Each structure stands twice: as C-alpha cells, then as structure tokens.
C-alpha cells in the first residue's frame, strides 16, 4: 500500500492464495477500490479532454473570422456580415456548451429540488409553443386529461426541452408530445432515427451518432447525458425506442416526489 501511495498509481496488491482471513478480504477490497478510483480518474480525464476539444472548435472559428475582419473588413464590407453571423452562431453554441458543462459538473454536489404541484398539460403547451417559435416547425400536444404532478417544474421543463429539441433537430415533420395517465409523457418524431448499435451510447457524454450529420444542427452531445441525470434526480424512467429513417419515441415515466 505504501508503494502504491508513493508511486501514485492504481496498482493492485498481489494476493497469492485464496483464504478467508481478514487480511485477504482487506486486500481484495483495496484492489476493488483501486479499480474504482482508476475508472473514475479515467472518466474525469476523458471528460476534461472532450470538453476542451469541444470548446476549441468554436474558438478556432471565432478566431479565424475575427482575423478575417481585421485584415479585410475595411475594404470588403461583405465579409463583415458573414463573419459576424459565424462568430455569433459559434458564441451561442459555446454558451450552450458551457451551461450544460456547468450543470453536469454541479450534479456531483446535490441538485436542490424545488417541489410544487404542476399542471402537466399547461407545461407541455408552453414548451411546444416555445419550440415552435425557435425551430419554425410544428409541435403538437395531445393531453386528454388534466394531470397534476408534484415535482420540480424547472428541471422537468429542462428535461422535456432536451427531448423535444432533439426531436425537432432530427426530423422535419411535426413532433408530437403526448401525455397519458401514469403519468407518462411521450415525445414522438418521424425523423432520421438512431441506428440500433448507437442506442445504448446516446446517453453518454459527448456521444453523437454521426459527427458530420450532427455538426450542422449545432449539437453538443451533452443533451441526453444531462437528461439522464435530470431524470434520475426527478425519479423519472426514460425509455427510448428508435428506428433508423423511421423515427424516435421517448417515453418518460413520471413519479410524484415527496417533500421529505
Ligand atoms: P446533441 O446535442 O448532439 O443532440 P444529445 O446528447 O442530445 O446531443 O444526443 C446525442 C445524439 O443522439 C445526437 O447527436 C443524435 O445523433 C442522436 N439523437 C438524439 N435524439 C435523436 C432523435 N430524436 N432523432 C435522431 N437522433 C437523435
């Protein structure tokens, strides 16, 4: 153990023979702890390196357009408009990205929930209206009953936004948000869908099915990772059903939270 401490590595203690005594059990537990620490350390490293990589791309674009304006701006006013548009788009992307990163980082300390009774139908109508405005596309809401739920409104809103945002980004035809007893909320699109072998990975931080097809839509690859954490803190179960070129259906199974 001292050797491991000195070298600051995640090595195992060699355990020669199986036995039932306390020293052997302690050795085994120590080795398992080392594995856990190593795994967390590697995850952390990957996260930092992904995050800096993601931030570098928009910064490079901003830098090159700013240089262009500096060199040519005065003699060629037309490059100014193009450059400002690009700089603005990338700045917005970077802002979204850092906001999501901060939220994910804060998750490790506990998120404080602010609970109240929420009218789900009203909440969904609101979300749909805002998304329609943002994407200039149609978002329908279907809710036969009035359903109330005791939960954190802002966090639930944020969670639903992530799925509706994806549904709008990755499809052209109207998106449907459906509320049923349970309560469950379904977000259904008929867009490009997710290939079978990617479904398990879309909830990973920074995972995108296809860098090329997604880059245009300005995704960060953090949306669903954040959704997973939000759902966990709200005791919501997420089921994701998707078929390539057919569409995606997300089912959120909600639960009332108790204030204790
Ligand atoms: P992004 O910011 O790239 O959208 P997300 O974490 O929200 O990141 O999603 C991860 C990836 O899952 C997306 O890049 C996309 O490839 C895929 N995806 C998510 N939702 C949908 C959807 N409704 N239709 C098709 N693909 C989707």
């Amino acid at each position: 153990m001292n050797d491991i401490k000195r070298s600051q590595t995640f090595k195992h203690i060699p355990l020669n023979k199986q036995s039932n005594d306390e020293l052997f059990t302690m050795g085994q537990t120590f080795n398992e702890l080392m594995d856990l620490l190593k795994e967390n350390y590697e995850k952390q490293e990957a996260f930092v390196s992904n995050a800096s990589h993601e931030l570098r791309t928009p910064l490079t674009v901003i830098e090159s357009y700013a240089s262009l304006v500096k060199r040519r701006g005065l003699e060629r006013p037309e490059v100014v408009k193009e450059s400002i548009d690009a700089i603005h788009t990338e700045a917005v992307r970077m802002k979204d990205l850092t906001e999501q990163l901060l939220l994910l980082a804060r998750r490790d300390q506990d998120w404080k929930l602010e609970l109240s009774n929420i009218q789900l139908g009203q909440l969904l109508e609101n979300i749909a209206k805002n998304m329609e405005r943002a994407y200039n596309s149609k978002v329908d809401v279907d809710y036969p009953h009035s359903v109330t739920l005791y939960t954190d409104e802002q966090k639930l809103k944020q969670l639903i936004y992530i799925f509706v945002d994806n549904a709008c980004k990755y499809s052209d035809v109207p998106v449907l948000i459906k509320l049923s007893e349970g309560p469950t909320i379904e977000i259904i699109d008929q867009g490009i869908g997710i290939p079978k072998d990617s479904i398990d990975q879309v909830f990973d931080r920074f995972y995108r099915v296809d860098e090329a097809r997604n880059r245009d839509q300005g995704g960060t690859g953090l949306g669903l990772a954040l959704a997973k954490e939000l759902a966990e803190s709200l005791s919501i179960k997420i089921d994701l059903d998707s078929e390539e070129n057919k569409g995606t259906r997300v089912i959120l199974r909600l639960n009332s939270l108790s204030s204790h």
Side-chain angles (χ1 to χ4, degrees):
M1 283 180 186
N2 274 332
D3 173 43
I4 291 171
K5 186 178 142 204
R6 251 194 316 275
S7 61
Q8 301 202 354
T9 50
F10 299 107
K11 278 191 294 200
H12 276 192
I13 296 178
L15 298 170
N16 293 327
K17 56 178 196 310
Q18 180 83 30
S19 73
N20 278 334
D21 61 57
E22 282 103 335
L23 268 181
F24 182 84
T25 314
M26 196 169 85
Q28 231 176 4
T29 310
F30 179 85
N31 286 347
E32 282 163 17
L33 260 175
M34 280 296 117
D35 289 343
L36 208 66
L37 281 174
K38 183 163 182 258
E39 194 187 310
N40 274 335
Y41 181 79
E42 283 169 357
K43 264 195 207 153
Q44 197 89 355
E45 255 192 342
F47 184 63
V48 171
S49 112
N50 281 336
S52 20
H53 175 83
E54 291 300 318
L55 284 170
R56 204 160 43 206
T57 317
L59 278 173
T60 308
V61 177
I62 289 174
E63 186 190 16
S64 65
Y65 274 104
S67 307
L68 180 66
V69 174
K70 223 167 126 185
R71 273 185 287 120
R72 298 273 163 79
L74 284 180
E75 72 226 46
R76 290 179 54 199
E78 74 278 8
V79 307
V80 176
K81 184 173 177 327
E82 183 199 332
S83 304
I84 288 176
D85 282 348
I87 288 172
H88 182 250
T89 309
E90 291 301 316
V92 169
R93 209 174 108 69
M94 228 166 77
K95 199 174 112 206
D96 289 350
L97 181 65
T98 42
E99 266 165 18
Q100 285 177 327
L101 280 173
L102 277 176
L103 264 172
L104 277 171
R106 265 194 232 122
R107 170 68 176 118
D108 297 337
Q109 302 147 33
D110 250 350
W111 275 339
K112 254 218 170 76
L113 296 181
E114 288 184 21
L115 303 174
S116 60
N117 270 318
I118 317 292
Q119 286 284 348
L120 289 178
Q122 207 107 54
L123 182 92
L124 297 179
E125 287 282 4
N126 253 324
I127 292 176
K129 208 160 64 199
N130 289 342
M131 290 314 264
E132 282 187 336
R133 207 173 300 134
Y135 282 100
N136 218 352
S137 64
K138 189 109 189 67
V139 179
D140 294 320
V141 186
D142 176 11
Y143 62 107
H145 324 279
S146 119
V147 185
T148 51
L149 190 75
Y150 192 66
T151 191
D152 184 309
E153 182 171 11
Q154 286 313 318
K155 297 222 159 36
L156 179 62
K157 223 175 178 173
Q158 205 176 359
L159 173 71
I160 299 169
Y161 264 123
I162 292 172
F163 290 110
V164 181
D165 185 59
N166 279 345
C168 290
K169 274 194 303 199
Y170 304 116
S171 78
D172 296 325
V173 278
V175 167
L176 174 64
I177 311 178
K178 195 172 156 199
L179 171 65
S180 327
E181 291 289 355
T184 60
I185 295 174
E186 289 167 79
I187 297 121
I188 304 160
D189 72 62
Q190 295 165 49
I192 55 176
I194 302 168
K196 244 199 190 71
D197 54 358
S198 293
I199 289 192
D200 286 342
Q201 294 165 73
V202 291
F203 287 95
D204 291 349
R205 291 172 180 188
F206 296 110
Y207 182 83
R208 298 190 192 101
V209 170
D210 175 346
E211 294 280 333
R213 79 173 180 180
N214 292 339
R215 173 70 58 187
D216 291 347
Q217 270 111 358
T220 59
L222 285 177
L224 291 183
L226 192 54
K228 198 170 113 191
E229 308 256 344
L230 283 164
E232 225 165 77
S233 78
L234 297 176
S235 295
I236 293 173
K237 189 170 173 296
I238 306 174
D239 285 322
L240 192 143
D241 210 1
S242 186
E243 199 176 327
E244 222 176 349
N245 301 319
K246 285 253 172 73
T248 304
R249 171 193 297 258
V250 174
I251 307 169
L252 305 177
R253 300 179 200 284
L254 286 74
N255 286 298
S256 265
L257 297 175
S258 77
S259 41
H260 313 293

